[in-house]
Amino acid sequence: MSVSHTTAYLNPTTLPNEKWDKRFLQLAKQVSTWSKDPSTQVGAVLVNDLRQVVGMGYNGFARGVVDSDERLNERELKYQFVVHAEVNAIIQAGHAARGAMLYVYPSFMLPPICADCAKTAIQAGVAGIVGYMPDESDPRVKRWAGSIGIAKEMWDEVGLPVRAWRE
């Protein structure tokens, strides 16, 4: 008599694991310190199913573009120059972004991603997103509420998971 059974492969990065999630969020927090943005430093880390970092990014100007004080301190001008952390991480990861979890620091709302970055993450095949619970009193919450609301709508439509932990 033979016994046949099937074991489903579970991607460990898509299953909640507070210890590992917080490790990668701490890495995203460290990466955020590399940003020269005077008002908001954001870090992002992409992690594959083997818990290997496949991409990292922070918000900053495109490679070779001068990040002068004038450009950094004039908000509307700065927004035209900055590449967001999530997009930088996805670009660095290339094809390895597909199926990877995206860890983002800090979180203003959930999911912790703006609409433009959400579109890019979805198209790249990111498996989900992880952040810390947002601080509702942070003034950036109001500034990003519209964009993050649209990101949430897209994220929910495609059924991607969002995980959040207390910092």
Side-chain angles (χ1 to χ4, degrees):
M1 174 172 167
S2 68
V3 177
S4 172
H5 67 285
T6 305
T7 304
Y9 174 73
L10 298 175
N11 178 341
T13 61
T14 60
L15 299 173
N17 184 312
E18 185 173 6
K19 179 181 79 171
W20 281 101
D21 280 354
K22 286 186 172 181
R23 285 177 177 174
F24 291 123
L25 286 170
Q26 282 301 114
L27 181 56
K29 184 176 184 177
Q30 178 62 39
V31 171
S32 77
T33 67
W34 304 343
S35 173
K36 294 181 181 179
D37 190 317
S39 64
T40 304
Q41 295 78 40
V42 178
V45 176
L46 273 166
V47 178
N48 71 12
D49 61 344
L50 298 174
R51 293 192 176 114
Q52 296 169 324
V53 173
V54 295
M56 295 188 300
Y58 57 89
N59 56 316
F61 290 6
R63 189 175 287 123
V65 175
V66 176
D67 48 8
S68 66
D69 286 343
E70 175 191 0
R71 289 174 173 175
L72 284 167
N73 291 306
E74 174 58 43
R75 187 177 310 279
E76 293 307 315
L77 180 60
K78 175 180 68 178
Y79 286 165
Q80 299 302 311
F81 282 92
V82 167
V83 179
H84 283 192
E86 301 90 333
V87 171
N88 273 322
I90 291 166
I91 290 169
Q92 186 183 72
H95 291 293
R98 183 164 304 285
M101 288 297 285
L102 180 60
Y103 293 82
V104 179
Y105 178 88
S107 301
F108 307 132
M109 294 175 67
L110 295 175
I113 192 167
C114 74
D116 285 335
C117 291
K119 291 185 287 191
T120 303
I122 291 165
Q123 281 298 95
V126 166
I129 193 164
V130 182
Y132 285 122
M133 294 297 293
D135 175 4
E136 302 295 331
S137 67
D138 188 317
R140 296 171 293 191
V141 169
K142 185 175 180 182
R143 186 180 322 138
W144 287 98
S147 182
I148 294 174
I150 292 168
K152 180 176 178 3
E153 186 176 338
M154 288 188 283
W155 216 255
D156 289 347
E157 282 183 25
V158 297
L160 291 174
V162 177
R163 291 199 302 266
W165 303 100
R166 298 224 178 273
E167 189 168 4

